[in-house]
Amino acid sequence: MPSVNQHLIARRLGISQSTVAGALANQPRFRLETRKRVLAEASRLGYRPHRFAQVMRQGRSGFIGMIQCAGHMQLSAQRSQLVAREVHGNGYQLLSSDAFWFGDEEKTACEVMIDACVEGVVLVSPTFSFDALRQAGIPVVALSGSRQPGAPQVRANIRQGMHDLTRHVIGLGRRRLALLTQWPLGPRDEAACYYVSERIEGFLEASRESGLGEGQAEVCIEDYSDPESNTYQVGKISMRKILERKRQPDAVLCSNDEWATGALAACKEAGVRVPEDIALTGFDNLLASGYGAVPLTTVAQPIEPMAKKAVEILLGQIRNGEGASPRKVIKMPCEVIVRHSCGSPRQEPDPITDPTRRMRS
Amino acid sequence: MPSVNQHLIARRLGISQSTVAGALANQPRFRLETRKRVLAEASRLGYRPHRFAQVMRQGRSGFIGMIQCAGHMQLSAQRSQLVAREVHGNGYQLLSSDAFWFGDEEKTACEVMIDACVEGVVLVSPTFSFDALRQAGIPVVALSGSRQPGAPQVRANIRQGMHDLTRHVIGLGRRRLALLTQWPLGPRDEAACYYVSERIEGFLEASRESGLGEGQAEVCIEDYSDPESNTYQVGKISMRKILERKRQPDAVLCSNDEWATGALAACKEAGVRVPEDIALTGFDNLLASGYGAVPLTTVAQPIEPMAKKAVEILLGQIRNGEGASPRKVIKMPCEVIVRHSCGSPRQEPDPITDPTRRMRS
DNA sequence: CTGTTAGCGCGTTCAG
DNA sequence: CTGAACGCGCTAACAG
């Protein structure tokens, strides 16, 4: 397709194609002058080697694939951007696609990758199993998302993040905590859904450590299965249910920032003040979270080091031929981002002297 | 690279490679039985044609490229998702990249596309000029973003959207309007920056139509050039400046939803109520905008028809060999989404009987 | 109806 | 030091 090829350069210089090939590869066996002439003519004509021909000849494509699930979510988008930078930094081209682009989800995405002869694939927040890739002998690494059979995974230490966040909230004097979370729609095996189960574990662990008793640390598992409604909406509806109760928590820990944003809206609607009446937290530290009506206290994942590590592992697999890390899981530490949605430290609220509780009828 | 090729199938069936090729292509000149046998053996061995070899032979790659600028922004991400679906629906593979992935911005992105022999490129919200593609003879279409020399563009009718929104706000009784907008950092020619100038025009036009006089429709052009700060932050800071004034507007129209969200936070900080004291609007109708503390009145672009149209035009260019639409601009209508941030219709506020003005000292 | 042959652009080997 | 020749996997024109 590129109209200017080695043959053309050769003809214009009155030499043979293979000489051009050798000169372009800077093989020392050619006279320096010849090499210079070839290079000059090549750049003058705007020569670019035909990648596809190179691939056919060399066997390796120089492509690394990236498949995201739900790249429209901000966190996923941030991750993929960092992966891309890392891939390019290592001299590869990136072929990216989104599983949601296709009707039949993961199947087509895998075929695209296989067809393009990618040397490896980074799965960004996968929600399906992409076993077809491994069966085709392509090295794979998962960056967050669900666990992939036989592939290493780099992910955040959700448990530690939730643990630290819970302790922070308790440290501010809150005593009736609720964790708002949701099982994913797909299969619920523990390994795949670590991001749910670790949130719960970290939450309960921190509560126990702080001496919170029965009913002081409640886990609310929402089973909201309408795939049409967006994440904010789910958070809003879930929070409404909590606000309808007789006895309300004084802190609600949401499983992500979108939920928390929706929950905030529900509070506002109901006349419940944040953080005075109820403390609210998110997870993931989205860009918007610091700039809403109530800046969110949340947990940040180390997305940059995570992306770096994932690509590093993949390249290791490609080079060492699968010899690197077989079924390893690398957990990287989260950090609590303190903003305004939990307020300042406060005493155990005295139900008699404290007039701030429950403004709604 | 794919270890199973036509040659292998041929050997196993005791026929020649070219027969296999013909049978796989379903050429009617072969016996039905032969074709069936070949197809069966092919699928049994998991044969997939080597795309790169096909490309070399046929000249066409079956790839369509997509370059986004700032794919981490939600609107851009939504657009690219729709483009992807459209591209696949037309039997092409999508090769996508983000100009921000590379250090040197557009240059590498173009090279990637050229190297991959894409047959055309959709530019999603481009902020640079991607002339290198056109120079390489690759058909291009821009979806929103800045105008590309010699390439058709599909974009929203920003002017009409802003016009309708302004009329809506005025219709609710607001009389001191401010439009908050910003010139992009790059070159400021009108054609490229229509999304700024059309906002201004639509705003002023609607104001004039409604009989608003001097000082009742103000355009505030922020020149905030710190590339580090995010969009929400810019909106917040810009709004703060307005709130510091002696005489404040009673409606602030922000140039996008992120700005409006940041502006909302600034109001909250300053004790200014939305919509009671100040009406606030956004633009783009992001997912979050309906679920914040104050659901945003905003303008929705018809992103789905836009994506469809852009791909349709590109395919036309590819097929008809540049003959389709040379330097056409297709504008598609926007729709005002009414939520809560402008409140209900109200009388001209009476400064004496109305106690709601300006709570801050 | 089937097989032989040529060549897409590149990199490598082997003669000269 | 240089060029001729080959083959990666595939398609298409042509010969049997």
Side-chain angles (χ1 to χ4, degrees):
Chain A
M1 212 126 183
S3 48
V4 35
N5 54 17
Q6 294 180 349
H7 205 75
L8 178 66
I9 300 175
R11 273 207 318 261
R12 294 183 63 100
L13 259 48
I15 56 181
S16 91
Q17 173 262 326
S18 68
T19 306
V20 173
L24 287 171
N26 247 323
Q27 289 177 4
R29 65 190 176 115
F30 292 101
R31 276 207 318 250
L32 194 71
E33 190 227 322
T34 314
R35 278 185 278 168
K36 291 216 164 187
R37 267 194 3 191
V38 171
L39 253 68
E41 187 68 9
S43 78
R44 211 174 59 75
L45 295 176
Y47 167 77
R48 318 214 82 226
H50 195 311
R51 279 200 81 82
F52 291 17
Q54 283 181 322
V55 171
M56 296 231 4
R57 186 75 184 102
Q58 307 193 6
R60 67 176 289 273
S61 67
F63 276 131
I64 284 197
M66 173 171 75
I67 302 179
Q68 354 180 20
C69 295
H72 60 278
M73 302 303 288
Q74 192 183 101
L75 188 61
S76 182
Q78 287 176 330
R79 285 186 184 128
S80 63
Q81 195 156 357
L82 292 164
V83 167
R85 192 191 301 167
E86 215 52 41
V87 165
H88 286 115
N90 283 283
Y92 280 87
Q93 302 278 25
L94 186 76
L95 186 78
S96 83
S97 76
D98 191 307
F100 283 3
W101 288 348
F102 313 98
D104 52 356
E105 308 296 356
E106 78 281 4
K107 189 163 166 292
T108 314
C110 290
E111 283 174 3
V112 169
M113 293 300 156
I114 295 170
D115 281 359
C117 303
V118 297
E119 299 180 39
V121 175
V122 182
L123 298 172
V124 178
S125 322
T127 52
F128 320 100
S129 167
F130 289 87
D131 209 43
L133 293 173
R134 222 179 29 114
Q135 280 168 18
I138 298 174
V140 169
V141 63
L143 176 55
S144 301
S146 66
R147 191 86 177 74
Q148 298 291 315
Q153 181 188 37
V154 177
R155 66 176 181 83
N157 192 336
I158 305 288
R159 182 194 193 114
Q160 163 260 323
M162 202 64 204
H163 174 271
D164 293 0
L165 179 67
T166 307
R167 299 223 41 162
H168 167 75
V169 171
I170 295 173
L172 291 173
R174 309 281 168 166
R175 287 296 175 273
R176 294 195 309 281
L177 276 51
L179 171 67
L180 218 54
T181 186
Q182 176 188 37
W183 286 109
L185 297 174
R188 289 188 183 178
D189 63 296
E190 287 285 309
C193 301
Y194 68 91
Y195 45 89
V196 175
S197 56
E198 286 208 353
R199 272 178 174 82
I200 297 176
E201 287 163 20
F203 173 73
L204 292 178
E205 204 175 283
S207 303
R208 275 195 303 269
E209 284 172 17
S210 308
L212 261 54
E214 274 299 309
Q216 291 194 288
E218 181 196 5
V219 176
C220 310
I221 298 181
E222 286 294 322
D223 232 330
Y224 202 78
S225 52
D226 180 5
E228 278 305 301
S229 77
N230 71 54
T231 328
Y232 301 96
Q233 177 74 321
V234 173
K236 190 170 182 178
I237 293 173
S238 306
M239 189 68 195
R240 268 195 202 137
K241 284 191 205 155
I242 289 193
L243 293 175
E244 280 164 5
R245 298 183 187 176
K246 298 229 173 57
R247 182 174 166 80
Q248 289 172 17
D250 59 3
V252 175
L253 287 69
C254 300
S255 54
N256 58 59
D257 283 4
E258 286 105 334
W259 277 44
T261 304
L264 207 58
C267 288
K268 167 104 185 188
E269 267 184 16
V272 172
R273 296 170 307 161
V274 175
E276 293 85 349
D277 303 332
I278 289 188
L280 222 51
T281 66
F283 211 102
D284 291 343
N285 193 29
L286 300 188
L287 280 173
S289 303
Y291 301 97
V294 180
L296 272 181
T297 288
T298 186
V299 175
Q301 303 188 17
I303 48 177
E304 185 152 1
M306 281 167 67
K308 243 192 164 77
K309 190 73 187 173
V311 173
E312 182 191 316
I313 288 177
L314 185 65
L315 293 181
Q317 279 187 301
I318 291 171
R319 280 196 272 266
N320 306 356
E322 203 76 41
S325 37
R327 38 181 56 241
K328 211 157 140 187
V329 175
I330 289 148
K331 300 182 198 175
M332 308 193 72
C334 295
E335 183 191 3
V336 175
I337 307 289
V338 177
R339 296 211 186 90
H340 192 247
S341 64
C342 294
S344 318
R346 63 175 192 179
Q347 272 79 38
E348 181 71 19
D350 180 343
I352 297 166
T353 61
D354 181 7
T356 62
R357 308 273 86 195
R358 308 271 317 291
M359 303 301 285
R360 55 196 288 272
S361 59
Chain B
M1 209 120 183
S3 46
V4 38
N5 53 19
Q6 294 180 351
H7 204 74
L8 178 66
I9 300 175
R11 273 206 319 259
R12 294 183 61 102
L13 260 47
I15 55 181
S16 93
Q17 173 262 327
S18 69
T19 305
V20 172
L24 287 171
N26 247 323
Q27 288 176 5
R29 63 189 177 116
F30 292 102
R31 275 209 317 253
L32 194 70
E33 188 226 323
T34 313
R35 279 185 276 168
K36 291 217 162 185
R37 266 192 8 191
V38 170
L39 253 67
E41 187 69 8
S43 78
R44 212 173 59 76
L45 295 175
Y47 168 79
R48 319 215 81 224
H50 194 312
R51 279 200 78 83
F52 290 18
Q54 284 181 320
V55 171
M56 295 232 6
R57 193 67 186 98
Q58 310 203 40
R60 67 177 289 274
S61 67
F63 276 132
I64 283 197
M66 172 170 76
I67 302 179
Q68 0 180 16
C69 295
H72 59 281
M73 302 303 288
Q74 192 184 102
L75 187 60
S76 182
Q78 287 176 329
R79 285 185 183 128
S80 61
Q81 196 156 358
L82 292 165
V83 167
R85 192 190 302 167
E86 215 51 42
V87 166
H88 286 115
N90 283 282
Y92 280 86
Q93 302 278 24
L94 186 77
L95 186 77
S96 87
S97 76
D98 191 308
F100 283 2
W101 289 348
F102 314 98
D104 53 356
E105 309 296 356
E106 77 283 4
K107 191 163 164 293
T108 313
C110 290
E111 284 174 2
V112 169
M113 292 300 155
I114 296 170
D115 282 1
C117 302
V118 298
E119 298 179 41
V121 175
V122 182
L123 298 171
V124 178
S125 321
T127 52
F128 319 100
S129 167
F130 290 87
D131 210 41
L133 292 173
R134 221 180 28 117
Q135 281 168 17
I138 299 174
V140 168
V141 63
L143 177 55
S144 300
S146 66
R147 192 87 176 75
Q148 298 290 315
Q153 182 188 38
V154 178
R155 66 175 181 83
N157 192 338
I158 305 288
R159 182 195 194 113
Q160 164 260 323
M162 201 65 202
H163 174 271
D164 292 0
L165 179 67
T166 307
R167 298 222 40 163
H168 167 74
V169 170
I170 295 172
L172 292 173
R174 310 281 168 164
R175 287 296 176 271
R176 295 195 309 281
L177 276 50
L179 171 68
L180 218 55
T181 185
Q182 177 190 36
W183 286 109
L185 297 173
R188 288 187 184 178
D189 64 294
E190 288 283 311
C193 301
Y194 68 92
Y195 43 90
V196 176
S197 56
E198 286 207 354
R199 271 179 175 82
I200 297 175
E201 288 163 18
F203 173 72
L204 292 178
E205 205 173 282
S207 304
R208 274 196 304 269
E209 285 172 14
S210 309
L212 261 54
E214 275 298 308
Q216 291 194 286
E218 180 195 6
V219 176
C220 309
I221 299 181
E222 287 295 321
D223 233 329
Y224 202 78
S225 52
D226 179 5
E228 280 305 302
S229 77
N230 71 54
T231 327
Y232 301 96
Q233 177 76 321
V234 173
K236 191 171 183 177
I237 293 174
S238 306
M239 190 68 196
R240 269 195 202 135
K241 283 190 204 157
I242 289 191
L243 292 176
E244 280 163 6
R245 298 183 186 174
K246 296 228 176 56
R247 183 175 165 78
Q248 289 171 17
D250 60 3
V252 175
L253 287 69
C254 301
S255 54
N256 58 59
D257 283 2
E258 286 105 335
W259 277 44
T261 304
L264 206 58
C267 288
K268 167 103 187 190
E269 265 184 18
V272 171
R273 297 171 306 162
V274 175
E276 292 86 351
D277 303 333
I278 291 188
L280 221 52
T281 67
F283 210 103
D284 290 345
N285 193 28
L286 300 189
L287 280 174
S289 303
Y291 301 97
V294 180
L296 273 179
T297 288
T298 187
V299 175
Q301 303 188 16
I303 47 178
E304 185 152 1
M306 282 167 68
K308 242 190 164 77
K309 190 74 187 170
V311 173
E312 181 191 316
I313 288 178
L314 186 65
L315 293 181
Q317 279 187 301
I318 291 172
R319 282 196 270 266
N320 306 356
E322 203 78 41
S325 37
R327 37 181 57 243
K328 210 157 142 190
V329 175
I330 289 147
K331 300 182 197 175
M332 307 193 73
C334 295
E335 183 191 3
V336 176
I337 307 290
V338 178
R339 295 210 188 90
H340 191 245
S341 64
C342 294
S344 318
R346 64 176 192 179
Q347 270 78 40
E348 182 72 22
D350 180 342
I352 296 166
T353 61
D354 181 6
T356 63
R357 308 275 86 196
R358 307 270 317 291
M359 304 300 288
R360 53 197 288 272
S361 60

